[in-house]
Amino acid sequence: MQAPFRSLRILFVAAEMAPLVKVGGLADVVAALPQALVERGHEVRVLLPAYGGHMTRGATRLTSLGEGQASLAELRRPDLPCPVWLFESPVFAGRGHHPYNQPDGRAWPNDATAFGEFGRVAAGIAAGTLLSDWHPDIVHCHDWHAGLAPVWMGLEPTSAASVFTIHNLAFAGRFHPRVLAELGLPQSLNHPDLLEFHGDVAFIKGGLSCADEVTTVSPRYAQEILTPEFGNGFEGLLRHRQEHLTGILNGIDTRLWNPARDPLIEHAFDAADLTGKSRERLRLLRRWGVTARKDEAVLGWVGRLTRQKGADLLLEALPELLQRPLRLVVLGSGEPELKRAVAAAAARWPERFMVDSRFDESLAHGIYAGADMLAMPSRFEPCGLSQLYAMRYGTVPVTTAVGGLADTVLDADAIADAIADAIADADPLACSEATGFLMAEATAEDFVETVDRALRWFHDQHRWQALMRSAMGRQLDWSGAVRAYEQVYERALAGRSPPGVGPAAMRAP
Ligand code: GLC
């Protein structure tokens, strides 16, 4: 592998990292991207909140913070790509296994202070006031939880540059402007060019307006968020910062997600020999005491039950779908109303619609390995990782042409048509790059229609196997993304604000 331009010290700042704490895809990226950067020769640390004692077991204390009971501890473990720095503080300590919401579903009431403080710690590390022997060149912040880090950095004399990555613009971290005073931040930040947002302050705007460079997790989403439809009210600001906005497609950890050596499945397989996959299919259904006929396709779902992911569309489509030769297997928890509706459907159609709502990593792998198709009718999708895991396991995604889904899934019918148009007698399989099925609109009707197209391919096993192999053959690792991030880091360093002056956005107009 070509050596990087130069080795950098990079501090990741995020609210989740697998396997320590995982709610969604963010956790996977905050584990896998540092791993890829370390392999390129960079020095990486990840700063995370410690939500409870289960996270700090085995950690050693680096330093105490201020006069309170807060401290910074370091965790080194063979299953972590780099040392992880845990912000231990009473503001986070009681959250346990619920980082964002209380067990009853409501957000924790002290989010603003907690994540505000978290950003301040990141800036303290960047400025060298907290740790004397490790100074980052780059502070790489993820989503609104880390949005105040670039703001605090602007108030400190630091020479580190900041990069902010949007994993999901739908979560903004909106609070009453009084939190600025509570955090000891200047009122001048309550300005439309900085944190102000419809009478509130939005922490994500700290990242969007103050970070030296902004990225998001697919090129298509980087375009979409410039429009009112996907911009969530930030499209104006993002258009203003367009020169500093880059879409970089997420990769996946192809060592962890590898059907040929996955300890969480029982029957290994690869593109050359798919026997293990049919055994995994049997094993998956056996969990519910069910067997499927050969002509019945197993349609899997792995992901949160939210409107973003189109869980309501799946439910709406269900009566139609169950007229087809299909069995559905759902793993996911999420919005209470959708959870209830999914449970009710499972009770109504046992053996056809099977659900598990506990978070279970081995069942997730079991579905990717054992299902024939993956349902992912997302309304918007910054990148999406499930479709990538599915493809790696030969499970064909049926999904919407938005965001990272449009960037990673190539529609089988569209490609077959294009090939037939171009070459009269071509064997459409020989040169196929297809990986799945895309619907233009996230609606229940389009979803059913797209599943029908997938079923037509499925019922021609020769074509289907070629499609599975083509999906499995797609390059999904981090090698391309890591180079793109290196370029963004270099741009951030070249364009960063001089120490003590703060980001351009924070200087008086
Ligand atoms: C968020 C997005 C998802 C993305 C993930 C990792 O969960 O909703 O699309 O893949 O972050 O970047």
Side-chain angles (χ1 to χ4, degrees), residues 126-127 135-139 153 157-162 212 492-493 496-497 499:
H135 301 188
D137 302 300
I138 298 286
V139 178
M153 283 170 72
T158 166
S159 61
S162 54
D212 295 305
L493 282 166
R496 72 183 183 274
S497 340

Side-chain angles (χ1 to χ4, degrees), residues 24-26 29 167-168 217 250 304 308-309 381-385:
L26 171 64
V29 173
H167 294 263
N168 196 336
V217 288
N250 284 334
R304 285 168 291 143
Q308 175 196 341
K309 300 283 174 190
E381 198 61 76
C383 176
L385 295 173

Side-chain angles (χ1 to χ4, degrees), residues 25-243:
L26 171 64
D28 291 0
V29 173
V30 174
L33 178 54
Q35 170 77 41
L37 288 164
V38 166
E39 282 166 21
R40 287 278 288 167
H42 301 289
E43 225 182 276
V44 187
R45 302 288 181 268
V46 179
L47 178 67
L48 285 181
Y51 300 110
H54 63 290
M55 286 177 68
T56 47
R57 216 166 294 136
T60 50
R61 177 173 282 223
L62 287 179
T63 182
S64 57
L65 302 170
E67 289 113 54
Q69 298 152 305
S71 61
L72 210 52
E74 180 176 83
L75 191 62
R76 288 178 185 255
R77 278 185 0 196
D79 60 339
L80 299 173
C82 63
V84 171
W85 289 346
L86 296 163
F87 171 44
E88 284 188 274
S89 158
V91 294
F92 282 115
R95 299 191 178 203
H97 293 278
H98 302 275
Y100 302 144
N101 297 313
Q102 306 176 56
D104 68 6
R106 283 175 308 146
W108 291 99
N110 71 339
D111 259 358
T113 3
F115 287 108
E117 287 298 326
F118 180 58
R120 192 211 297 256
V121 172
I125 296 172
T129 49
L130 296 183
L131 301 169
S132 52
D133 57 347
W134 200 89
H135 301 188
D137 302 300
I138 298 286
V139 178
H140 188 164
C141 308
H142 300 264
D143 273 355
W144 76 262
H145 316 99
L148 286 200
V151 175
W152 288 110
M153 283 170 72
L155 301 167
E156 298 261 11
T158 166
S159 61
S162 54
V163 174
F164 183 81
T165 295
I166 305 165
H167 294 263
N168 196 336
L169 200 54
F171 299 99
R174 260 177 97 155
F175 306 103
H176 192 281
R178 82 169 85 84
V179 303
L180 294 176
E182 285 166 17
L183 284 163
L185 282 166
Q187 283 305 319
S188 56
L189 291 170
N190 188 13
H191 185 283
D193 289 347
L194 295 163
L195 299 181
E196 194 277 338
F197 190 64
H198 299 290
D200 289 334
V201 291
F203 280 16
I204 197 168
K205 282 191 74 179
L208 303 183
S209 52
C210 297
D212 295 305
E213 291 290 323
V214 177
T215 74
T216 189
V217 288
S218 69
R220 174 78 71 112
Y221 192 60
Q223 290 300 313
E224 288 172 345
I225 55 181
L226 303 177
T227 67
E229 193 188 348
F230 294 97
N232 288 78
F234 302 108
E235 58 276 9
L237 170 58
L238 287 163
R239 274 201 302 272
H240 176 68
R241 296 227 59 200
Q242 206 172 343
E243 273 177 41

